[in-house]
Amino acid sequence: LSRGLGDVYKRQDFDPSEYVTVPEGWSCKRLADCTVDGNISYGIVQPGQYDESGIPIIRVNNVNNGQLDLKDVLKVSPAIEKKYARTRLKGGEVLLTLVGSTGQSFVAPQELAGWNVPRAIAVIRADEEVGADWINICLQSKETMHFLNVRANTTVQKTLNLKDVQDIPILIPPKGVKESIESTVLSLSEKIELNRQTNQTLEHIAQALFKCWFVDFEPTRAKIIAKEKGANTAIQELAAQAIICGAITLEQLEAMTENLETTLQQAINEKLSQANQTPINTEQLKTTAALFPNELVDSELGEIPEGWEVNPMGNYLEIKRGGSPRPIKEYIVEDGLPWTKIADATKEPSPFLFRTKEYIKEEGLKKTVLLKKGSLILSNSATPGLPKFLELDACIHDGWLHFPKKQLFSDLYLYQLFLKIRKELVAQGNGSVFTNLKTDILKSKVVVAPNQMVISKFDETISLAFNKLKENCKETNTLVEIRDALLPKLLSGELSVSSD
C-alpha cells in the first residue's frame, strides 16, 4: 500500500470522466478532490496484541457487505494508536476496505468517534459540498467496483493501492438531482439497516433463551433457590416462571428476603403487562415452568437438571456429508438445480440461505444430495461450524453436513446448539489449508440432552420470533435488489428523479 497525500499522486493528465459515463449536466471529480484536504489515509500498520484497556479499531472482518459487525473488535494500546491520530475517527467519515474483501464501504456512525482503523482500511473525510453519503453511494456503483477490481494487486491477497483509490471517479450531479438520489437510496438503506437491527435483537432473544434454559438451567436453579428459602412448591414454580419470562434474575431472587410469593407475582404481572415484551402468556408460563425439575444432579459435563441426559450427539441424530460431482465445472449450468457452496452462506448474515450463485445439471445428483426447503445444514470446512437453514430446494457441496434423521433434537434447537458449541467444534477440527469438521467430531461431541417436552416448548416459544426474523430477511433481500437495480440507473442518468 502507498500512504500518499492527494496532491502527491495527482497526475496532471488524469481525467476521471474517461472511466465513467457522465450524464449531461453532471461533472466528475477524483475522489481525493472530494475530500476536505485532498488526503486519503490508511490506519495502524502494526496494531500489536489485544489491549483490554486500549482503543478499539474497525477491521475488515468487522465489515460484511457494507454492514458493521462488532462482535469481534480488536483494541490496540493507546501508545500505538496515538501515532495514527490522522485516522482517528470522529464519526461521519467514509471507510473503504483495501485488503481481502476489498471495495466495501460505509459511513462511520457517530458512536465510532474515538475509534481507529488498521492499514487495511482507508479513511475518507468528505468535503461538505459533496458529502459522505454521496461518496459512499458512488463507491457502491458497478463502475467504481470495476475501476478498483482491474487495479487490485493480488500477489498475496487482493489489495487496493491508495493511489488508485484517490483516482476513483466521483460523479457530481446538479444539487437538486443529487439530493433526490441520496434521499431515494438512503431511505432504502435505512430500512435495510432497521431490519438488520431488528433481526439482531430477535437472534439475541433466541440465544438468550437457549442459554437460560439449556446452558445455565436457570428455571431449575430458581426453584432450588426458592426451596432453600423455605418456599413451598407453588412458590418454587413462581420463581421459575419469573426467570422464564425475564421478570427477575437469579441474583435478584437470591436477594429477596420476605414476601417472596407477592414479590414474584408482582414482577411476573408487570412483565406480562408490557406489550410485545414477551412471547408467552400466563398459562403458557405455568406450563413451561412445570417442565423443569427442581433438582440438579452431577454429570460428566457438570450439574444438569434431574432427568436430563449427557450423551454423544451421534446418539440423537444421523450426520451425513453433502457431495460434489467431479469435475464440477462440467456440471455447472445457468439454469439447473441450486448448488449450495460455503461462499453462498458466508455472504448471508442471517440464519437463512435464500439463493445460490451456481446451478448444476440433474446428472450431478448421482454425486451429491438434494435437500428440501427448510433443511438445516452445517458447514464442515473453510468456515466450519456455521449452521444455516435452506430456504430453497438445493443440492449441497461436500463442505456441508446435513441431518436426514433426528431423535429428540429439533432443527431450531440444533441451530442454537451449534452456535453455542461452534468454537469447541472448530478447535477440534483439522486440515492442511482449512479447518475441517469431520463427522466423527460431531458424532462424538458430548452434549446435554433435555427431555422432548422442554425442547418442544422451546420451539414453540421462539418460533414466532424466528418467523419474524425470516420475513425481515426476505424483505431485506428485496430491498437490496431494488437498491442495487436502481443505483446504476440513477447514476447513469437513465432513470431521472424529481429535483423539486
Side-chain angles (χ1 to χ4, degrees):
L1 291 172
S2 302
R3 182 172 304 173
L5 298 176
D7 292 338
V8 173
Y9 290 112
K10 186 173 182 179
R11 302 192 304 276
Q12 296 301 319
D13 60 343
F14 181 80
D15 182 2
S17 64
E18 293 180 1
Y19 299 88
V20 291
T21 302
V22 183
E24 184 177 354
W26 294 30
S27 61
C28 185
K29 294 183 179 181
R30 294 169 63 244
L31 175 57
D33 296 331
C34 298
T35 64
V36 293
D37 56 5
N39 180 27
I40 298 173
S41 300
Y42 57 68
I44 301 170
V45 177
Q46 294 181 325
Q49 297 296 318
Y50 180 87
D51 185 339
E52 180 59 40
S53 60
I55 309 299
I57 64 174
I58 294 295
R59 296 176 292 168
V60 175
N61 68 292
N62 298 126
V63 187
N64 187 345
N65 292 324
Q67 301 293 333
L68 268 180
D69 181 354
L70 301 180
K71 294 177 184 176
D72 180 21
V73 173
L74 176 65
K75 293 183 179 181
V76 304
S77 75
I80 293 176
E81 192 276 338
K82 186 178 181 180
K83 299 176 183 178
Y84 295 86
R86 68 179 184 277
T87 52
R88 187 179 299 149
L89 303 179
K90 298 179 181 179
E93 301 89 349
V94 180
L95 304 187
L96 176 69
T97 58
L98 302 175
V99 179
S101 299
T102 59
Q104 297 191 76
S105 67
F106 66 97
V107 178
Q110 292 301 316
E111 51 263 37
L112 295 187
W115 290 43
N116 214 316
V117 300
R119 181 175 181 170
I121 290 184
V123 177
I124 304 164
R125 305 184 193 279
D127 67 30
E128 187 174 346
E129 182 178 356
V130 177
D133 287 329
W134 182 255
I135 286 179
N136 190 47
I137 288 172
C138 291
L139 290 178
Q140 295 170 13
S141 71
K142 291 183 179 179
E143 287 183 310
T144 296
M145 294 297 180
H146 177 73
F147 181 90
L148 293 176
N149 283 336
V150 298
R151 290 163 176 77
N153 178 343
T154 56
T155 303
V156 179
Q157 60 178 326
K158 195 174 180 183
T159 302
L160 295 176
N161 193 302
L162 276 190
K163 174 175 66 68
D164 295 316
V165 171
Q166 292 173 10
D167 284 343
I168 293 173
I170 300 296
L171 290 167
I172 310 294
K175 182 179 179 181
V177 174
K178 174 176 171 291
E179 291 175 349
S180 294
I181 293 175
E182 281 183 336
S183 177
T184 300
V185 175
L186 291 179
S187 64
L188 289 170
S189 296
E190 287 170 1
K191 176 57 178 172
I192 291 169
E193 175 61 16
L194 179 60
N195 279 355
R196 187 192 70 83
Q197 293 177 3
T198 300
N199 285 353
Q200 191 174 56
T201 299
L202 292 171
E203 287 196 74
H204 286 167
I205 289 173
Q207 291 165 13
L209 187 67
F210 184 89
K211 184 175 185 294
C212 173
W213 290 19
F214 305 116
V215 179
D216 298 331
F217 317 124
E218 291 190 11
T220 292
R221 294 188 186 279
K223 292 184 178 182
I224 293 172
I225 292 172
K227 183 179 180 180
E228 290 174 346
K229 291 179 178 291
N232 60 28
T233 302
I235 298 177
Q236 292 172 34
E237 292 296 312
L238 273 182
Q241 292 172 37
I243 288 293
I244 290 168
C245 72
I248 63 169
T249 65
L250 289 179
E251 289 75 15
Q252 290 171 330
L253 179 60
E254 286 273 18
M256 294 179 185
T257 57
E258 55 185 26
N259 299 322
L260 190 58
E261 181 177 10
T262 300
T263 303
L264 288 171
Q265 190 63 66
Q266 288 177 344
I268 292 170
N269 291 343
E270 182 178 348
K271 184 66 178 181
L272 295 183
S273 68
Q274 298 171 4
N276 300 321
Q277 292 299 305
T278 177
I280 197 167
N281 61 37
T282 302
E283 290 306 314
Q284 290 173 326
L285 193 56
K286 291 179 180 179
T287 302
T288 304
L291 296 176
F292 289 87
N294 60 2
E295 295 290 344
L296 293 172
V297 297
D298 290 331
S299 77
E300 63 178 287
L301 294 181
E303 291 186 328
I304 64 171
E306 185 179 30
W308 294 15
E309 301 176 347
V310 168
N311 283 307
M313 191 176 293
N315 286 20
Y316 302 102
L317 68 163
E318 183 181 13
I319 303 169
K320 295 287 188 180
R321 287 182 62 183
S324 300
R326 300 283 194 266
I328 186 61
K329 289 183 179 179
E330 295 184 4
Y331 290 87
I332 299 297
V333 291
E334 291 187 5
D335 184 18
L337 298 170
W339 172 240
T340 307
K341 300 169 69 176
I342 300 296
D344 293 316
T346 54
K347 292 180 180 179
E348 289 272 5
S350 78
F352 311 101
L353 198 155
F354 293 95
R355 61 176 67 83
T356 63
K357 184 179 180 180
E358 296 180 344
Y359 300 84
I360 62 171
K361 301 175 183 177
E362 286 194 14
E363 296 92 290
L365 284 176
K366 297 177 182 178
K367 297 293 184 178
T368 186
V369 58
L370 178 63
L371 299 182
K372 294 293 186 182
K373 177 181 178 180
S375 297
L376 178 67
I377 57 178
L378 183 74
S379 59
N380 69 3
S381 65
T383 309
L386 180 68
K388 291 284 180 178
F389 287 98
L390 287 174
E391 285 304 311
L392 73 172
D393 293 348
C395 299
I396 59 171
H397 184 274
D398 55 13
W400 289 103
L401 303 176
H402 66 109
F403 315 97
K405 295 179 182 178
K406 292 182 286 291
Q407 298 177 10
L408 182 66
F409 295 149
S410 67
D411 282 343
L412 284 178
Y413 179 89
L414 274 177
Y415 176 82
Q416 296 298 332
L417 177 60
F418 288 147
L419 290 180
K420 191 265 177 184
I421 64 175
R422 184 180 181 189
K423 288 185 178 179
E424 301 168 38
L425 294 174
V426 171
Q428 297 178 57
N430 61 79
S432 57
V433 180
F434 299 113
T435 299
N436 293 316
L437 179 59
K438 296 181 178 179
T439 56
D440 287 347
I441 292 176
L442 198 59
K443 288 178 181 177
S444 61
K445 177 62 180 176
V446 176
V447 295
V448 174
N451 64 56
Q452 181 68 65
M453 294 181 67
V454 177
I455 291 179
S456 296
K457 182 58 70 172
F458 174 76
D459 284 3
E460 178 186 323
T461 304
I462 71 165
S463 59
L464 183 62
F466 227 71
N467 288 337
K468 175 60 177 175
L469 194 157
K470 186 191 300 184
E471 292 305 311
N472 283 349
C473 288
K474 290 179 180 178
E475 181 182 54
T476 295
N477 287 340
T478 300
L479 292 172
V480 169
E481 290 173 358
I482 292 172
R483 183 187 63 186
D484 292 349
L486 279 177
L487 188 56
K489 296 179 184 296
L490 293 171
L491 291 180
S492 68
E494 178 184 343
L495 184 63
S496 62
V497 291
S498 173
S499 59
D500 295 337

